[in-house]
Amino acid sequence: MSSARLPGGAAQPLSLRQSEARDRADRIEVTSYDVSLDLDRGDETFGSVSTIDLVSLGGPTFLEIQPASLLSVTVNDFPVDLSRHQGGRVPIDTEPGSNRVVVDAVMTYRHDGEGLHRSVDPADGRHYVYAMPFLDAAPSIFGCFDQPDLKAEWRFRTRVPRDWVVIGNSPATELEPGVWEIGPTLPLPTYLVALVAGPYHVVRTEHDGIPLGLSARASIAAHLDHDAEEIFTVTAQCFDEFHRLFEIRYPFGDYHQAFVPEFNAGAMESAGCVTFRDPMIFQSRVVRTFHTLRASTIAHEMAHMWFGDIVTPRWWDDLWLNESFAEYMGARVTADATEFEDVWVSEAYSRRSWGLSADQRPSTHPVAGNGAEDAATALQNFDGISYAKGAGILKQLNSHLGDEVFFGGVRDHFQRHRFANATMVDLLEAWERAGAEDLAGFRDGWLLSAGPDTLELDRASGLIRLTPPPGERAGRHHALAVAAAPADRTGTWRVQRLVVDSDTVPVTVPTGAVVLDPEIETWAVTLPDASTLAALPDVLSTSTDPLLRASVWLSVRNALQHARLDPALALDLLAAALPHEDTDDGVGQTLAWALGAVVPVSQDPVAARARVHETAAACVAASQAGSTLQLAAFQGQVSACQEPALLRNWLAAGDRLPEGVVVDLDLRWRILVQLAVRGAIDRDELAAQLADEVTAVSQVEHAKALAALPDAAAKSWAWARFTGEVEVPNYELEAIGLGVWQVGQEHLTDPYVERYFEDLPATAEVRTGYLLAQSVGDFYPRWSINAGTVERARSLLGREDLDPVLRREVVDFTWDLERRLAVVEAFGSSGAIKP
Ligand SMILES: [Zn+2]
């Protein structure tokens, strides 16, 4: 099965260029789509007929379609010569005035989470389908004019097996058994079209006149029922808050949230029918981090109903605005309106690190005006910069302008461009009309320049030093707090507020620890000075402010990444401080960081892993039995565990399993994967474990375990999946990549370092889009931390024929590897803090 070989003519589809989109929008206006899909003709292909009404100035243009076979295209009933179908495009001639274009084709289901994705649930063999047209995959579902500023009304008529339900942008009506009709919708671009079809389990309720729905696979129906109340509550609370802030009611009728299988992203904001990855329906006990993430994802997608769906960017170069805005509003509304008021702490441990890393990598780009000349480039800019950094600077702008001006501008923007398209300039003008002073400084300093500034305390000189990113001099203003630890453990912190807007700013330096930006208010890399670093065990174990502790851990991560902190000292800090941490985020995400970032660069990774294990065990001991804090710690302990006997004891719920811990589906597979890494389980037993409870989760974890086994057959099995010689669904591919490279298995994996760089270029022939980019990092030889691997990467990058998607990912992952190498080289023999 696969996806990836894109049908659609001899050549790969051409990516739409911004100039082409502009010309086409000048020539035509699409008024409506009427799409008929036949999903009841087997599991390989489906029928697709789109009838498109448009108004044209007349003359030539083109539509996009990537069919298995193109049956006919007509314009005003005249047939189009199909031999002109090239690169996913069909050139057509239009008449001045009204035109009707009809495209009839057989299309291929995809299995890579894009287009019309079809999957089989291993739990019961039932088939599920959903549409993922974003960013430019709509033409693999139906013939269309695929650009964000050609918005139209949509009607769908879908034929499906009789036991399926169909859900879309508007309520679906079953006209006769197996025939469903949706629409007409409000004006929507192609990328926001939704279609969810299959034997889904559906739960419904209503809030404030808005019908609400949830759906998930039948095999996880009980889990959806269990989680429904929490999801509906968050949804209702967020609707109330968005209505209060935006003063425009949600316009798309009912609001459905579909949890669908093998979804690549967290979720997609299709109007009226959001699709989420279905691991967000919890089949095992999870830590609070995941409840918080689910709530903020729900809020993020709801924010898009206004920002993206009511007002849509004209071109993909402004799509950051959708994401930055949804990310900021998602966190803010979650914090203010739901029980997950600690979302900013959670974001500090996860999203902010992601964004800061992305902003320091070679591929960094300005938040806005990211230079996306075509759709394929735009997709690559959906990184930590468009989300986390963009959200961070919108939060800064909000605190600078205040809510009255900020939301005044936003409401003006929504009203002016309702159901149409707009640009960044339109929004900046709306803010200025609402009373914002000249925003040029904000635009130039934060939106149009790349890379983070670095802030450090120069204790001897009594200065905060600002170092701009290489080659940039953005002239940014950082408004932040500086917190000084009390002299004794029971005293209070002294906080001074500063604006850092030049290379050095004087500051009153007390003795003891100083935390820069404890409230995480400004976008910058903060580094702890040596005295502060030495005092951190005390700071972290006595501070009662979880956001300050998150800020400290961020600075510790930065220090390691910049080779300013010995990994051995990072482990000391972990051991001293983490058993005092009382948030799931602090324990769980810091243990995960220790295993992923500290252990591999440690002089003795086995001993380092044992220290993480000890620390995790201490956290388990310090937590309440049965709490999610205990679960966060125990998950870390399992991942760090190197003793097969202990893993076996846990698996059998033996006497060493901490009281309050239950080995459920998730924990069982965490333990099994670690047994596989240690070679303490064989393939037969893994197969038996899978057979014992066949779920989509166990299928994926089973694949990870197979790839992690310490023998040559396991690595060669994994490699056949990487190269595409054997095709597997997207989640399994990712799991295999995460399983195949294990610290300590170098004797088995070393030959694959060279092969990775040899085999990678050809993966562009078997994969596309999200999965092509994702698998570069999943399979990158990240633990081969030596100059030879860096050299091999450079040599691959020297090849001119390397696919640009692959190139960008290899550049970034090689930069990450060089950072690890710098740490290893800096702390190879000594254990001191590097000044
Ligand atoms: Zn989004």
Side-chain angles (χ1 to χ4, degrees), residues 267-269 297 300-301 304 307 319 322-327 351 382 387:
M268 176 65 207
E269 67 269 21
T297 306
H300 173 119
E301 303 309 324
H304 274 308
F307 225 111
L319 212 50
N322 273 9
E323 295 311 338
S324 306
F325 195 86
E327 186 86 353
R351 310 289 274 187
F382 274 72
Y387 287 78

Side-chain angles (χ1 to χ4, degrees), residues 376-377 380 764 772 800-810:
T377 316
Q380 291 229 284
L772 175 65
E800 281 182 9
D801 60 342
L802 185 65
D803 179 277
V805 171
L806 298 180
R807 173 180 303 282
R808 173 165 169 170
E809 298 293 321
V810 171

Side-chain angles (χ1 to χ4, degrees), residues 463-500:
L463 297 170
I464 303 279
R465 291 194 183 277
L466 181 158
T467 311
E472 286 272 357
R473 206 146 257 290
R476 297 165 183 151
H477 292 232
H478 295 271
L480 68 152
V482 175
D488 65 80
R489 288 169 151 249
T490 52
T492 50
W493 286 73
R494 280 156 299 152
V495 177
Q496 47 186 316
R497 292 209 58 87
L498 281 185
V499 171
V500 179

Side-chain angles (χ1 to χ4, degrees), residues 223-235:
H223 302 290
L224 180 68
D225 290 345
H226 178 270
D227 288 2
E229 188 183 337
E230 181 178 314
I231 297 171
F232 280 141
T233 300
V234 167
T235 306

